[in-house]
Amino acid sequence: MIYVLIYMCLYLLYSIPTLYKVKRLSGVMKVEERDRIIHELPKRWSKGIMKRSGSTVYITGQQYIPKGPVLFVSNHVGDFDIPVLLGYIEKPFGFISKIEIKKMPIIREWMEMISCIFIDRKNRKQAIQSIREGSHLLKKGHSLLIFPEGTRNKGKGLKEFKTGGIRMAKDAEVPIVPIAIRGTASMFENHSWGIKPSHIHVEVLPPIPAASIINRDVKELSCEIQSKIQSSLDEERKVS
């Protein structure tokens, strides 16, 4: 665990010159190209974390990811979900994070650069504004990731999906790409101390097209996405 933490801290310090460089990227650059350049270092950092943890990541289904902005919707197993998905999903994306992360220097600035959104779940007005900000980012061409369970389930079964984040795809008229992830809780949450190697499985599922989202009830859509992810997790358990 100490080895991983030292790597994370040293790499963040190493990243500072690159952070200042990407802040100066031209605003006239295409969104896709700009996001690709900005995400290069966060992706390397994330893969480095997983490599030093001794864990192995298996990912399938990336051929389903459409071009253009999408809303990735994933189950939330553990703290290492973000490094896994940020490192191994080919399409760059920002994500919704709890507002407390804004207190962490360097990390906060990198998250702002990759189009992350900070949300205060205790402040309904601010939370609604964050959802509107997410819709705006999707409309501008950035992709986003949400964990609609809100908190980690630690591999103990899906919690009910909240609808707020999913509404962003409806408002922005972009496809939704469900993701099923398994194994990250075995790295940290489900034992008493330290970080342990684990086999992480990620399945990118076929997208729900934007055209079929526009006129759908958000609650109904949320239940459909949860069902797709649950089916993937159930199928994977049968195989393993």
Side-chain angles (χ1 to χ4, degrees):
M1 180 175 184
I2 295 175
Y3 177 45
V4 175
L5 291 175
I6 290 174
Y7 166 80
M8 292 171 66
C9 293
L10 290 179
Y11 204 100
L12 283 173
L13 292 174
Y14 161 79
S15 76
I16 292 174
T18 303
L19 177 62
Y20 289 132
K21 286 181 182 178
V22 297
K23 282 184 176 181
R24 295 195 295 268
L25 285 176
S26 171
V28 299
M29 187 181 295
K30 288 185 178 180
V31 171
E32 294 89 347
E33 180 65 12
R34 194 169 188 272
D35 281 352
R36 184 189 64 78
I37 294 171
I38 290 173
H39 279 74
E40 284 179 356
L41 189 141
K43 280 185 175 294
R44 289 200 303 270
W45 182 62
S46 297
K47 283 187 175 181
I49 291 172
M50 300 312 298
K51 180 179 179 180
R52 283 157 182 81
S53 76
S55 297
T56 307
V57 178
Y58 305 92
I59 183 165
T60 59
Q62 297 217 60
Q63 72 274 14
Y64 292 125
I65 302 175
K67 294 181 179 180
V70 304
L71 180 69
F72 291 110
V73 179
S74 174
N75 58 316
H76 196 9
V77 185
D79 284 335
F80 284 89
D81 291 345
I82 284 293
V84 169
L85 298 175
L86 194 61
Y88 293 88
I89 294 291
E90 293 172 0
K91 180 185 283 291
F93 61 84
F95 54 92
I96 292 183
S97 174
K98 56 187 179 182
I99 199 165
E100 288 79 5
I101 302 297
K102 291 193 77 172
K103 299 176 183 178
M104 303 175 68
I106 307 178
I107 289 181
R108 176 193 65 239
E109 293 179 79
W110 270 113
M111 288 176 66
E112 289 171 347
M113 287 304 301
I114 66 172
S115 302
C116 290
I117 300 169
F118 300 97
I119 188 167
D120 184 357
R121 294 188 179 93
K122 298 177 183 178
N123 185 329
R124 178 174 172 77
K125 185 176 180 180
Q126 192 276 334
I128 292 173
Q129 181 57 39
S130 294
I131 296 301
R132 289 173 179 164
E133 181 184 348
S135 298
H136 179 65
L137 286 170
L138 289 167
K139 289 176 181 178
K140 287 178 65 177
H142 303 282
S143 293
L144 291 174
L145 165 76
I146 62 169
F147 297 113
E149 291 172 276
T151 58
R152 299 162 297 161
N153 63 50
K154 301 182 182 180
K156 297 177 181 178
L158 291 183
K159 299 180 180 181
E160 183 179 358
F161 280 19
K162 298 177 176 63
T163 61
I166 293 172
R167 187 179 298 278
M168 295 189 300
K170 181 180 172 72
D171 293 343
E173 300 183 9
V174 301
I176 291 175
V177 181
I179 296 176
I181 183 169
R182 185 164 65 90
T184 51
S186 299
M187 293 179 62
F188 182 62
E189 281 82 3
N190 291 346
H191 53 85
S192 57
W193 188 86
I195 297 172
K196 292 187 177 181
S198 179
H199 293 288
I200 315 298
H201 295 267
V202 179
E203 183 178 9
V204 180
L205 303 172
I208 303 175
S212 68
I213 292 172
I214 298 171
N215 297 318
R216 293 280 300 278
D217 175 77
V218 178
K219 180 63 177 178
E220 176 191 339
L221 187 58
S222 176
C223 290
E224 178 186 341
I225 297 166
Q226 181 167 354
S227 178
K228 288 177 181 290
I229 293 174
Q230 184 66 66
S231 295
S232 173
L233 296 173
D234 290 344
E235 191 63 33
E236 197 168 338
R237 288 191 187 96
K238 291 178 184 177
V239 174
S240 58

